[in-house]
Amino acid sequence: MPELPEITSRAREMNKALVGKTLASFEIKQTQCLNVTERVFKKALLGATINQISSKGKWLLVDTSQGWLLINLGMGGEILLKTDGTLPKKHRFIIGFSDGSQLVINFWWFGYVHFAKHDQLQFHPIVGKLGPNILDLTFPEFKSILQKQRGRLKTNLLDQSKMAGIGNAYIHDILFFAKLHPLCQIPKLDESDMRSLFDAIHRELRMSLDKGGAFYELNLYGNPGGFTEKDIVIGYRDGKPCPVCSTPIQKVKTGSTSSFICPDCQKLV
DNA sequence: CGGGCTGTTGACTC
DNA sequence: AGAGTCAACAGCCC
């Protein structure tokens, strides 16, 4: 569930709190999250100092003096900064800093903590293939990327290699505000459809970003984001009336994921 | 108690 | 290339 608003918020918080800290210890409880052996990981990053934190799509990119630390929370999880020596019940990865503070990471299911050398980020098998952050695109750039695609709209918007940042939680309201069906074929979109889609993406993601992300994810200090259930209009509200036309909202299968749509406002053409 | 669902990503198949 | 299926793990709901 962490998507662009949550990950971008975490990057901002980490930039304020972690720059200059030195990585002094690692406790790795789930070694499957690594892309190298535990031994190689520790050897590479122990003693490194944090320069800056940025994000791309759903990935946190930590630039250190000894290379990149790359974090993906998968289907959910927390990154908490603890300064009092206590630990939350659930933790799978702990980074101990030389000042005694700790960055405690918990994945709900499956996440990644990867290492890449300074000049090797572009060759990382996942991060190297990510498209641009979707909020960084201008409309002409967005349109140009979309026009090169075929197939179903939803599948393409979730494909992080084209544009990075949208996941299966925010997409329901985005498509509703753009009045587009998740299964609509990309070549059928006209200029005004793409404009509506672009505007809906920015509106939705920016609103959540401004609120520090969604309520179901915690920030570095354990506080939930300000984007609440009330901010969700269509998603996860099957059976409730559409706020525009009162038609009951439907939950439909779209490939391997579910979608929530207003069957009247979002016609499949 | 158990079955179904969920969210990310990639691998694999047709 | 597009579409479908599955696997990785945990927790919630009915």
Side-chain angles (χ1 to χ4, degrees), chain A residues 128-144:
Chain A
K129 293 192 179 79
L130 290 177
N133 262 331
I134 198 154
L135 285 187
D136 292 343
L137 294 172
T138 63
F139 179 60
E141 290 167 340
F142 173 79
K143 195 171 82 171
S144 162

Side-chain angles (χ1 to χ4, degrees), chain A residues 149-211:
Chain A
Q149 309 308 319
R150 269 165 286 169
R152 296 164 166 178
L153 178 58
K154 180 177 178 182
T155 307
N156 277 268
L157 291 177
L158 294 183
D159 182 346
Q160 303 296 300
S161 70
K162 308 298 187 300
M163 295 176 256
I166 301 181
N168 201 43
Y170 288 106
I171 194 156
H172 312 298
D173 280 13
I174 288 172
L175 291 174
F176 171 73
F177 285 117
K179 297 189 182 295
L180 293 169
H181 194 284
L183 297 181
C184 109
Q185 294 289 317
I186 303 242
K188 292 209 172 193
L189 297 176
D190 64 20
E191 173 92 10
S192 84
D193 290 332
M194 286 190 269
R195 183 82 228 182
S196 308
L197 184 57
F198 181 79
D199 291 345
I201 289 168
H202 278 248
R203 176 191 179 282
E204 183 75 9
L205 297 185
R206 281 212 175 117
M207 173 176 57
S208 181
L209 184 53
D210 287 344
K211 297 181 178 194

Side-chain angles (χ1 to χ4, degrees), chain A residues 31-128:
Chain A
T31 50
Q32 303 110 289
C33 72
L34 299 173
N35 63 331
V36 293
T37 64
E38 186 170 349
R39 194 180 65 85
V40 169
F41 183 89
K42 287 181 171 172
K43 191 176 178 188
L45 285 172
L46 276 177
T49 302
I50 294 178
N51 294 328
Q52 197 182 27
I53 297 94
S54 55
S55 63
K56 196 165 189 189
K58 303 165 191 174
W59 284 79
L60 283 163
L61 316 179
V62 183
D63 176 26
T64 82
S65 59
Q66 294 171 199
W68 294 96
L69 176 69
L70 311 170
I71 304 172
N72 180 290
L73 289 178
M75 301 195 201
E78 306 93 47
I79 301 178
L80 300 171
L81 177 61
K82 304 295 283 184
T83 53
D84 58 4
T86 67
L87 288 176
K89 282 178 191 165
K90 299 277 180 179
H91 51 272
R92 299 202 196 205
F93 202 112
I94 301 172
I95 300 173
F97 298 112
S98 58
D99 63 3
S101 59
Q102 295 172 295
L103 197 66
V104 185
I105 302 172
N106 182 47
F107 315 119
W108 179 24
W109 259 18
F110 207 69
Y112 304 116
V113 181
H114 283 188
F115 168 71
K117 292 181 182 172
H118 277 305
D119 56 353
Q120 300 286 304
L121 193 59
Q122 59 185 310
F123 302 115
H124 183 274
I126 310 176
V127 175

